[in-house]
Amino acid sequence: MAVMSQRVAGFGTSIFADINALAAKHGAVNLGQGAPDFDGPPEVLAAAVTAVNSALNQYAPGIGMASVRQAIAQHAQRFYSQQLNPDTDVLVTSGATEAMFAAILGLTDPGDEVIVFEPVYDTYVPNLIMAGVAPRYVPLRGDDWSFDADELAKAFNSRTKAIVINTPHNPTGKVFSRDELRTIAELCQKHNVVAITDEVYEHILYDDTSHVRLATLPGMAERTLTISSLGKTFSVTGWKIGWAMGPAALVYAVNQAHQFITYAVASPLQAAAAAALNMPFAFFENLQTTYQARRDRMLEVLRRAGFKVFKPQGSYFIMIDWRGVAPSKVQGDMQFARWLIEEIGVACIPASPFYQQADKHLGRYFARFAVCKKDETLNAAAERFARLVRT
Ligand code: PMP
Ligand code: GLN
């Protein structure tokens, strides 16, 4: 009996699960999955405990608790001068992951096309396939992972319903510039296309890079759905509290899907999300300083080990090109990741899973390292990489 639906039959296992298992088996220092190995701010953790002990343990409203929707709208105002009505323009979801899937289900129809940039975060394309939507890929290339404006323009056609933009970008660490976002905005307006942005790394920025919110560009407020979440900024990736924001009509459509996927999101963690989002500026500044130190440290370690590094402008990640470091028996990024775990004792994520089948070769020399780790983890990785340093 064929038990698996056609819809999911082509999906492999998530690379994150595979690498975690291999890293555990070999006792490797795990710089693979983008999850901090330290805890979130004590006041945020305490807010969750208080909520559990204050009988906030039954279903929240499907669109999210009022206090959280207000905190999300205030955060958008505080950092981006974005005006959102917390009652109509904000929806609380089970992480950015559910927000993206609900957005695709709520805003597209089978047979539509959606544009994504490649390398592409691993959930978007399976989401599109489950929705019966065709992905159109626009490559990011070169040392700055830029796109070709003509190539992007050609990807738009009468079937294009939406474009997904992830900035700061996983896996490259690229932060889309205002000019790049302007180009995207013009094309969205010309072709009447919705933009869906994934901004989960909005506060992890390096070297004075600013994060530009596409929704704040002229003509974009009415056609942009912005997605973000608590996990990265507050080091609580396991909480899975996210949100989608934008014009009421778009948010309503997303909720039409969300109400029948998860219905409502964990109440006590939502309550804690409100506390987190209201943290003072000093928290966000300190977050950047701490991440800058981690990134600079790992850039140096990876460079000294002989890798070509792509200096990220944001996100948890550093992409490298491993050619010239691994022995010649290592033939591709999957083998490189395995070799690094088994022989050097450090885990990373190979890049080809972020490319579609026909383009896998484009990722074969790249691998991604996560820097969201304690000093002692980064020190342990540095010690192991020292084996690669030629004296
Ligand atoms: N989008 C991107 C680009 C991510 O890197 C991640 C998590 N690593 C997510 C979405 C998932 O976010 P959440 O845990 O809030 O679902
Ligand atoms: N988004 C995280 C990363 O890119 C992992 C999420 C997951 O494990 N699915 O590392």
Side-chain angles (χ1 to χ4, degrees):
M1 188 178 73
V3 285
M4 212 188 286
S5 72
Q6 290 298 315
R7 196 180 289 124
V8 301
F11 299 168
T13 344
S14 148
I15 187 65
F16 305 110
D18 288 350
I19 293 290
N20 281 345
L22 202 61
K25 184 173 159 204
H26 294 277
V29 179
N30 196 345
L31 304 185
Q33 191 174 34
D37 64 353
F38 46 86
D39 232 336
E43 49 277 61
V44 175
L45 305 184
V49 173
T50 304
V52 169
N53 289 327
S54 310
L56 266 178
N57 299 306
Q58 307 308 326
Y59 289 129
I63 60 166
M65 287 162 62
S67 62
V68 191
R69 286 183 282 108
Q70 265 154 24
I72 292 167
Q74 272 161 16
H75 173 275
Q77 161 72 43
R78 174 155 70 126
F79 286 93
Y80 309 105
S81 306
Q82 194 181 6
Q83 301 288 337
L84 295 168
N85 178 341
D87 294 329
T88 54
D89 306 348
V90 179
L91 174 69
V92 181
T93 58
S94 183
T97 310
E98 192 235 337
M100 183 60 72
F101 190 36
I104 289 166
L105 290 174
L107 298 170
T108 65
D109 285 305
D112 286 344
E113 289 185 6
V114 168
I115 299 171
V116 294
F117 290 97
E118 187 180 57
V120 58
Y121 180 58
D122 75 329
T123 59
Y124 306 161
V125 172
N127 285 176
L128 295 172
I129 290 168
M130 288 191 277
V133 172
R136 284 283 295 227
Y137 297 88
V138 174
L140 299 173
R141 294 197 195 89
D143 286 357
D144 60 352
W145 304 100
S146 53
F147 61 86
D148 181 291
D150 291 334
E151 226 167 345
L152 178 64
K154 283 195 191 110
F156 282 80
N157 63 56
S158 59
R159 294 204 296 165
T160 311
K161 186 60 77 64
I163 178 169
V164 177
I165 302 108
N166 169 215
T167 183
H169 185 255
N170 180 2
T172 65
K174 173 190 177 66
V175 174
F176 283 69
S177 69
R178 188 176 287 278
D179 278 351
E180 288 176 315
L181 292 171
R182 264 200 210 107
T183 303
I184 296 169
E186 278 164 20
L187 287 164
C188 287
Q189 290 171 55
K190 179 170 168 203
H191 296 276
N192 196 24
V193 158
V194 170
I196 306 172
T197 67
D198 175 343
E199 305 184 18
V200 298
Y201 298 105
E202 62 187 293
H203 289 294
I204 317 275
L205 299 165
Y206 304 116
D207 307 325
D208 300 322
T209 305
S210 346
H211 171 69
V212 179
R213 178 157 280 185
L214 182 61
T216 62
L217 263 51
M220 290 308 285
E222 58 265 41
R223 61 175 64 253
T224 304
L225 186 81
T226 306
I227 292 173
S228 195
S229 81
L230 209 64
K232 313 294 162 159
T233 305
F234 299 98
S235 311
V236 288
T237 59
W239 282 16
K240 303 296 296 182
I241 301 290
W243 48 90
M245 313 165 260
L250 291 188
V251 171
Y252 180 80
V254 179
N255 186 40
Q256 289 301 92
H258 162 80
Q259 65 178 336
F260 297 126
I261 305 175
T262 49
Y263 166 48
V265 176
S267 307
L269 301 182
Q270 283 197 57
L277 287 162
N278 291 330
M279 298 271 274
F281 274 119
F283 166 80
F284 297 90
E285 279 161 12
N286 183 46
L287 182 77
Q288 293 205 5
T289 314
T290 322
Y291 268 97
Q292 179 85 39
R294 291 186 184 116
R295 185 211 65 168
D296 289 348
R297 168 97 211 276
M298 284 319 289
L299 275 180
E300 176 62 20
V301 167
L302 292 164
R303 272 193 194 120
R304 289 198 45 170
F307 295 110
K308 173 182 173 181
V309 297
F310 295 85
K311 197 174 176 185
Q313 299 162 296
S315 88
Y316 274 181
F317 308 113
I318 300 177
M319 274 281 244
I320 58 100
D321 183 326
W322 53 267
R323 274 174 290 188
V325 175
S328 56
K329 66 173 183 188
V330 172
Q331 288 295 320
D333 62 320
M334 294 295 198
Q335 276 186 23
F336 168 74
R338 182 172 277 277
W339 170 80
L340 198 72
I341 289 172
E342 290 175 355
E343 307 287 328
I344 309 299
V346 179
C348 64
I349 300 292
S352 62
F354 298 95
Y355 290 82
Q356 63 165 322
Q357 205 55 44
D359 291 345
K360 293 273 179 226
H361 63 283
L362 297 175
R364 73 190 179 284
Y365 298 126
F366 302 139
R368 188 197 85 176
F369 289 91
V371 304
C372 49
K373 305 292 170 183
K374 308 192 264 247
D375 283 348
E376 63 195 78
T377 308
L378 299 181
N379 289 342
E383 271 172 33
R384 294 181 181 202
F385 276 125
R387 296 178 194 169
L388 283 171
V389 178
R390 279 169 224 138
T391 45

